[in-house]
Amino acid sequence: MNTRVMNADEVNRAITRIAHEVLEKNKGAHDLVIVGIRTRGVFIADRLAAKIKEIEGEAIPVGIIDITLYRDDIKSSPSKHIVKKTEIPFSITDKKVILVDDVLYTGRSIRAAIDGLIDFGRPANIQLAVLIDRGHRELPIRADFVGKNIPTSHDESVKVMLKEEDGVDKVTVISDQ
Amino acid sequence: MINKLKSKDLLGTKDLSPEEILLILNTAESMKEISSRDIKKVPALRGKTIINLFYESSTRTRTSFEIAGKRLSADVVNISVSTSSVAKGETLRDTAKNLEAMNPDAVVIRHSSSGASEYIAKILRCPVINAGDGAHEHPTQALLDLFTIREKKKELKGLKVSIIGDIAHSRVARSNIYAMNKMGMDVTVSGPSTLIPVDIEKIGVKVVNDVVKAIEGADVIIMLRIQLERQEKGLFPSIREYSRLFGLNTEKLKNAKEDVIIMHPGPMNRGVEISADVADGQYSLILDQVTNGVAVRMAVLHLLTGGA
Amino acid sequence: MIKNSKILIKNGRVIDPANKIDTVLDILIENGKIIEIGNLLSINKSEIQNPKSEIEIIDASGKIVVPGLIDMHVHLREPGYEYKETIKTGTEAALAGGFTSIACMPNTKPVNDNQSVTDFILDKTRKEGVVNVYPVGAISKGLKGEELSEIGELKSAGVVAITDDGKPVMNSELMRRGMEYASMFDIPVISHCEDLHLSEGGVMNEGFVSTELGLKGIPNAAEDVMTARDIALSELTGARLHIAHVSTRGAVNLIRDAKNRGVKVTCETAPHYFTLTEKMVDGYNTNAKMNPPLRSEDDLKAIREGLKNGTIDVIATDHAPHETSEKDVEFDKSPFGIVGLETSLPLTLKLVEDGIISLDEAIAKLTVNPARILNLNKGTLSVGADADIAIINLDKEWQIDVKKFKSKGENSPFHGLRVKGLVNTVIINGNTFNFEAH
């Protein structure tokens, strides 16, 4: 059974709100950089950067991180992840890094992404922005900015679809029953 | 798109599908970025042990595999012929069995006997990567050549490649021919007729003995190392004549395309198969090959030993 | 083994190419000799029915009864390489393959280049051997190709031919003198035809497969050149020349032409050359490594034609056992050679089934032809001949399994192959060996 929990407008509004929150918390866009986690975190990161530019008039650098080489769950994952490129063509040292992903679940991907980021330098801080927080953390990680909290059970999965990859903006909860 | 290699081992390019070659090249592209970082290390193969088993001296390939393994956080152990029990007459089977008992996660082997990597792969449970077996195959060299060509030319399909030199004894030539044919490239081999193996045409190449003609219209020229022992075996009369007829120099290069690229698997005999000005000149990608070698070997190590 | 003074083989299809016999007949044997052959034998019924009678009756109905097979090219390895094979295990393997006589090559350690080694082989055969063994002596001392061995002494000690098998005599002058000298004793010179310069470093046939595998090839010319040379030397000296293990079209052509000119040349091939090609080497299969190497499809065709048109006189095995670990190495480090005694018969019968040669021709190439070349009083079922007989079930299907070989060697490319034709009973000098347990 699939339940749609967000439509395109809701996705857009959530990202807009996160943009405002980021700017408010950081008192503007100064020293901000955004890094999206592959695959869908990247598109949300791009949209977030665009919103911030809209609001603040300042373009901030956007990078991409691929966490495949940092994962701790490769052994248990059913199929291999293809290693994609990490592209952070700017220094993150002393910057405030907004790390962006689509869904926050166990926290393991975020752990991997943080490990990856640290290899690129010593940021002033790392803040986490996610479109969906579905709970069930296995590591002491929390998001600073959340588009929507969706309570789920373990046997459900959350599917985020974005125009850039899937042709449509939509979030659904898929349950196995 | 596929996300893994079907075989446990990488023994040659002959057995790779075009999709597998692309997977390796694409993965290598991601890996190349890691080498440009300040901290050139990712934890992907943490806790994995990779054994470099080298029965032939090779600084470049061994170092390249070693750096590749270390950049992926694997523990890399080098065993070379002079320090191992091979000198004491241990068989390859016994060596393999002993290594197996130490539970490695991959074995990279370089051996002077064709088929040695296939032999050891049948004994070992872990992945075996052929780093050159006799005159048979040297798949990672061919893959890094393809990677280097693609980086420069963007598209592989339809490119004309000339491989020049001692084709008969070259594992680099064989691996390149197989891989390039699979990628839709058009391969010509050239060199003295004594160093062109019989029936090589049946693998899918053209044979042109005249180097000048072989260069004409080529997008890529790969020069092979000529070993001096071949002269002693009577396969060519002298280094001087070899160099004059088959060596690549600025004069011969006038017949090449304007955007030709020149590669050499190394180590080079400067002034023999390639003149110094060509080796160091604008068309040469010889050092790019070395850089890319690390990325390609990282890709292969990760695809064979990472996860699953 | 059962020993009876009288043996009666009844109702078998008797094939005796020397006597042009191929019909159902009975054979009566007494004291190790064939004493009668025909339909109505001079044995009275009561003798047969009497349980106390000393006569052993073998019912061979549905089977063929042929002269005991002869393999003129066997490496028994003893003395010197007993870990590979011994006279005991080698002759047991021969027996299991239907052979009652074999000729053994001189490349032992020490080399069979003098009487003492020949004596040793014959003595050991008397003690432990189960088939007749005919030693072949060396052409040159130590197989070094430098000086002639004492061929006269070897001949009187019992060698039936001379050869430097495995190490061809590269020096044409020495080969000439060897032939001249041997012809005084009317023994053939067996030549392993290989130009060592052309084959140097080679480990398989030179061709597409060797190019693909990156292995050094041995060109057909290495064999052809020496075949031509030895034919020329045979013409020069008038010596009897026997070319061993022919594997190329070129050699077959040269021998055919020489025979047509009346040169005293004969030749043999081995089952692997008419059954397998160089493709078998794929995967670096050391059990497909022998010398001469497995050749191309075209050569295989030529070998089959040569067998058919009579250019090739003999099928011999070149049985070359090695210890398993010696073959379990990198391809180029593996020794040459495969075992053949226990697979030769069914592989030859396959040629018959495929219509390449007749059953009669096949049996001749395995019996009377090698006997004539080596001057052995063997290979026929004539009255008065030694009772060396093989009874074969042509229709019996079985699977080749190296683990079941009597030979110490397991180095066979035919392991696992399903074949037809199984040895049922072998009689040597009146002793009966049954293989029904197979």
Side-chain angles (χ1 to χ4, degrees):
Chain A
M1 199 184 77
N2 300 353
T3 320
R4 199 181 71 192
V5 291
M6 285 178 102
N7 62 22
D9 286 345
E10 288 165 316
V11 169
N12 186 37
R13 276 199 292 277
I15 294 172
T16 308
R17 180 169 49 74
I18 292 173
H20 283 288
E21 287 176 8
V22 166
L23 288 171
E24 189 179 341
K25 181 171 175 182
N26 292 283
K27 301 184 172 63
H30 189 62
D31 279 344
L32 274 189
V33 301
I34 299 182
V35 175
I37 300 175
R38 280 197 196 273
T39 306
R40 288 178 182 74
V42 175
F43 308 126
I44 300 172
D46 284 340
R47 293 192 199 183
L48 191 57
K51 292 279 183 208
I52 288 171
K53 186 168 186 216
E54 229 177 272
I55 301 161
E56 208 74 349
E58 192 175 337
I60 55 173
V62 182
I64 297 169
I65 189 159
D66 183 276
I67 59 163
T68 311
L69 298 170
Y70 291 88
R71 297 183 84 98
D72 64 2
D73 60 349
I74 275 190
K75 275 209 159 67
S76 57
S77 98
S79 71
K80 278 196 181 179
H81 296 261
I82 294 175
V83 183
K84 298 244 174 73
K85 216 176 199 167
T86 289
E87 294 171 41
I88 306 178
F90 48 81
S91 167
I92 62 166
T93 297
D94 295 333
K95 300 285 193 225
K96 294 179 269 188
V97 179
I98 311 297
L99 183 62
V100 182
D101 204 358
D102 54 350
V103 179
L104 176 59
Y105 181 29
T106 63
R108 290 178 189 271
S109 301
I110 305 304
R111 194 280 308 160
I114 292 171
D115 279 355
L117 278 177
I118 300 290
D119 283 352
F120 281 84
R122 187 179 183 282
N125 60 53
I126 298 174
Q127 301 160 39
L128 177 61
V130 296
L131 184 60
I132 305 293
D133 182 348
R134 60 168 292 194
H136 305 292
R137 217 74 75 238
E138 292 170 4
L139 294 174
I141 280 169
R142 59 158 184 80
D144 300 277
F145 314 100
V146 178
K148 190 179 173 78
N149 283 293
I150 303 176
T152 57
S153 66
H154 268 300
D155 45 19
E156 288 172 321
S157 59
V158 175
K159 188 169 186 194
V160 173
M161 299 174 82
L162 296 172
K163 274 201 198 88
E164 295 89 333
E165 179 87 1
D166 313 296
V168 61
D169 283 351
K170 183 166 87 173
V171 179
T172 42
V173 174
I174 299 163
S175 76
D176 280 351
Q177 285 88 14
Chain B
M1 187 171 162
I2 57 164
N3 59 5
K4 60 180 177 218
L5 303 176
K6 64 180 180 297
S7 167
K8 138 178 118 65
D9 312 294
L10 178 65
L11 303 180
T13 56
K14 191 185 169 198
D15 310 318
L16 291 176
S17 66
E19 292 73 28
E20 288 180 302
I21 291 173
L22 279 178
L23 174 65
I24 294 169
L25 297 187
N26 292 343
T27 306
E29 215 167 278
S30 310
M31 293 295 184
K32 190 171 178 181
E33 176 267 327
I34 294 166
S35 298
S36 66
R37 298 181 191 173
D38 285 340
I39 299 175
K40 302 174 188 59
K41 203 179 188 72
V42 294
L45 299 185
R46 204 166 39 137
K48 306 264 185 188
T49 305
I50 296 168
I51 296 179
N52 270 337
L53 179 60
F54 275 62
Y55 286 81
E56 276 184 343
S57 62
S58 151
T59 310
R60 188 179 320 233
T61 306
R62 189 187 53 69
T63 309
S64 184
F65 269 108
E66 185 172 353
I67 291 174
K70 286 181 170 168
R71 288 196 178 154
L72 292 170
S73 298
D75 297 308
V76 183
V77 181
N78 290 311
I79 303 176
S80 61
V81 67
S82 52
T83 55
S84 81
S85 49
V86 175
K88 297 171 202 153
E90 189 176 65
T91 64
L92 187 53
R93 163 170 289 275
D94 284 339
T95 304
K97 283 289 183 192
N98 276 286
L99 294 181
E100 176 92 329
M102 296 177 211
N103 253 330
D105 295 287
V107 170
V108 178
I109 180 172
R110 157 73 60 96
H111 199 287
S112 57
S113 295
S114 298
S117 58
E118 185 172 333
Y119 175 83
I120 203 170
K122 283 179 191 154
I123 299 170
L124 294 173
R125 272 167 297 158
C126 73
V128 170
I129 299 167
N130 182 5
D133 63 328
H136 180 225
E137 284 230 42
H138 189 359
T140 58
Q141 178 69 44
L143 290 163
L144 77 87
D145 288 347
L146 285 183
F147 185 90
T148 307
I149 295 166
R150 189 174 78 162
E151 208 173 46
K152 199 78 181 175
K153 301 279 185 187
K154 307 301 173 217
E155 187 68 44
L156 294 174
K157 199 171 161 78
L159 291 179
K160 285 169 144 32
V161 183
S162 285
I163 305 176
I164 298 166
D166 180 0
I167 309 296
H169 300 92
S170 177
R171 50 197 174 211
V172 175
R174 283 171 180 76
S175 285
N176 262 316
I177 292 167
Y178 292 130
M180 289 172 170
N181 278 340
K182 285 176 207 277
M183 302 317 285
M185 300 158 83
D186 184 3
V187 185
T188 298
V189 297
S190 181
S193 47
T194 47
L195 293 173
I196 305 286
V198 294
D199 289 346
I200 185 86
E201 299 90 341
K202 289 193 195 158
I203 298 186
V205 298
K206 279 201 292 288
V207 177
V208 178
N209 290 119
D210 183 341
V211 168
V212 172
K213 286 199 182 112
I215 287 172
E216 251 173 37
D219 298 292
V220 180
I221 299 172
I222 298 178
M223 298 306 296
L224 300 175
R225 179 180 170 79
I226 181 74
Q227 290 189 325
L228 305 182
E229 304 95 89
R230 311 291 175 223
Q231 183 195 338
E232 290 152 26
K233 290 266 177 202
L235 292 165
F236 63 92
S238 69
I239 290 293
R240 191 165 149 265
E241 176 152 321
Y242 184 90
S243 179
R244 198 165 56 205
L245 291 177
F246 305 102
L248 188 62
N249 54 29
T250 314
E251 183 60 32
K252 287 200 190 99
L253 211 49
K254 282 181 188 156
N255 302 286
K257 277 171 103 165
E258 254 170 45
D259 60 347
V260 70
I261 59 178
I262 295 161
M263 308 203 294
H264 190 299
M268 280 183 281
N269 294 305
R270 280 172 183 270
V272 181
E273 71 262 4
I274 190 163
S275 68
D277 53 341
V278 172
D280 303 328
Q282 54 171 327
Y283 307 108
S284 167
L285 294 184
I286 293 169
L287 293 177
D288 298 61
Q289 288 174 275
V290 179
T291 306
N292 294 336
V294 174
V296 164
R297 286 168 182 130
M298 285 171 80
V300 168
L301 286 172
H302 183 257
L303 285 166
L304 291 177
T305 65
Chain C
M1 186 183 89
I2 307 159
K3 197 167 179 79
N4 275 306
S5 63
K6 272 193 182 179
I7 304 169
L8 174 64
I9 306 169
K10 284 175 66 76
N11 300 324
R13 176 181 165 195
V14 174
I15 302 176
D16 181 13
N19 293 309
K20 298 193 165 40
I21 292 171
D22 181 356
T23 182
V24 174
L25 290 171
D26 302 334
I27 297 174
L28 184 62
I29 297 158
E30 188 168 30
N31 297 325
K33 300 276 180 197
I34 295 171
I35 58 166
E36 220 176 325
I37 181 159
N39 272 322
L40 299 158
L41 297 180
S42 61
I43 297 177
N44 60 50
K45 267 214 166 123
S46 62
E47 195 174 355
I48 294 172
Q49 279 155 357
N50 180 359
K52 283 181 191 158
S53 150
E54 282 276 290
I55 193 162
E56 179 193 357
I57 295 170
I58 299 170
D59 181 10
S61 40
K63 303 186 179 77
I64 61 167
V65 178
V66 300
L69 308 183
I70 298 171
D71 187 349
M72 66 179 293
H73 197 138
V74 174
H75 297 272
L76 282 178
R77 304 299 191 202
E78 190 174 358
Y81 303 100
E82 289 83 356
Y83 69 97
K84 293 178 196 261
E85 192 83 286
T86 61
I87 288 171
K88 180 171 189 293
T89 58
T91 55
E92 283 170 356
L95 187 71
F99 294 94
T100 54
S101 296
I102 58 179
C104 62
M105 292 295 134
N107 58 342
T108 46
K109 197 165 83 183
V111 168
N112 186 11
D113 60 2
N114 64 78
Q115 179 176 356
S116 65
V117 179
T118 309
D119 285 348
F120 171 86
I121 294 167
L122 291 172
D123 185 51
K124 198 83 189 211
T125 301
R126 274 188 290 276
K127 287 178 184 148
E128 298 176 359
V130 293
V131 303
N132 306 305
V133 173
Y134 298 95
V136 177
I139 297 172
S140 69
K141 287 187 188 123
L143 303 177
K144 290 200 178 103
E146 291 163 2
E147 293 170 45
L148 292 182
S149 47
E150 289 163 333
I151 296 165
E153 186 188 84
L154 282 166
K155 158 77 180 174
S156 45
V159 307
V160 292
I162 53 166
T163 185
D164 272 9
D165 183 54
K167 285 189 172 176
V169 180
M170 281 299 288
N171 181 334
S172 305
E173 164 67 8
L174 186 77
M175 190 63 169
R176 172 202 174 155
R177 299 305 176 197
M179 284 191 188
E180 278 175 347
Y181 201 79
S183 56
M184 289 194 298
F185 308 103
D186 193 29
I187 53 174
V189 175
I190 301 175
S191 176
H192 165 128
C193 291
E194 176 187 356
D195 182 310
L196 291 176
H197 296 298
L198 281 171
S199 67
E200 192 190 335
V203 294
M204 69 169 296
N205 186 48
E206 180 176 303
F208 176 62
V209 181
S210 68
T211 290
E212 261 202 324
L213 294 177
L215 292 172
K216 178 91 164 58
I218 300 172
N220 282 24
E223 181 169 336
D224 302 349
V225 163
M226 287 299 255
T227 304
R229 181 200 75 171
D230 288 347
I231 287 169
L233 292 177
S234 167
E235 280 184 284
L236 174 69
T237 60
R240 284 207 285 134
L241 171 67
H242 177 78
I243 311 276
H245 42 56
V246 171
S247 74
T248 65
R249 178 177 285 280
V252 173
N253 288 344
L254 285 161
I255 294 162
R256 189 195 55 220
D257 294 349
K259 283 186 163 187
N260 288 342
R261 289 201 300 279
V263 182
K264 284 192 258 175
V265 59
T266 55
C267 73
E268 75 196 26
T269 191
H272 37 278
Y273 301 119
F274 60 69
T275 310
L276 304 174
T277 67
E278 59 191 336
K279 287 199 185 75
M280 198 69 196
V281 179
D282 216 1
Y284 300 95
N285 179 4
T286 56
N287 284 332
K289 181 178 176 181
M290 68 287 288
N291 192 8
L294 294 175
R295 303 285 188 184
S296 68
E297 199 68 48
D298 179 61
D299 292 303
L300 180 137
K301 257 182 73 189
I303 296 297
R304 290 177 165 216
E305 287 160 18
L307 284 162
K308 192 186 175 82
N309 65 28
T311 303
I312 300 174
D313 309 273
V314 170
I315 294 169
T317 65
D318 196 4
H319 178 81
H322 292 291
E323 199 192 35
T324 304
S325 67
E326 293 179 294
K327 278 285 193 178
D328 189 5
V329 292
E330 301 89 313
F331 190 86
D332 54 0
K333 295 194 171 72
S334 154
F336 291 99
I338 62 167
V339 292
L341 283 167
E342 290 164 83
T343 52
S344 177
L345 175 66
L347 295 170
T348 305
L349 291 174
K350 182 79 169 64
L351 278 184
V352 176
E353 192 176 312
D354 292 349
I356 311 293
I357 52 175
S358 68
L359 186 55
D360 184 73
E361 287 164 339
I363 299 303
K365 290 177 202 297
L366 286 167
T367 57
V368 64
N369 294 0
R372 281 178 184 154
I373 291 164
L374 297 177
N375 267 332
L376 308 180
N377 188 21
K378 296 278 181 189
T380 80
L381 298 174
S382 307
V383 170
D386 294 338
D388 291 354
I389 296 173
I391 302 175
I392 297 159
N393 183 344
L394 285 181
D395 301 320
K396 177 76 180 173
E397 274 193 49
W398 58 289
Q399 187 168 27
I400 294 172
D401 179 356
V402 296
K403 296 287 171 201
K404 291 185 181 158
F405 281 174
K406 302 283 184 202
S407 169
K408 283 191 181 183
E410 296 178 353
N411 46 317
S412 170
F414 300 110
H415 177 64
L417 188 71
R418 287 207 70 82
V419 290
K420 247 167 93 176
L422 189 63
V423 176
N424 194 267
T425 305
V426 179
I427 300 164
I428 302 181
N429 295 323
N431 302 324
T432 310
F433 300 86
N434 286 308
F435 292 93
E436 277 152 23
H438 250 53

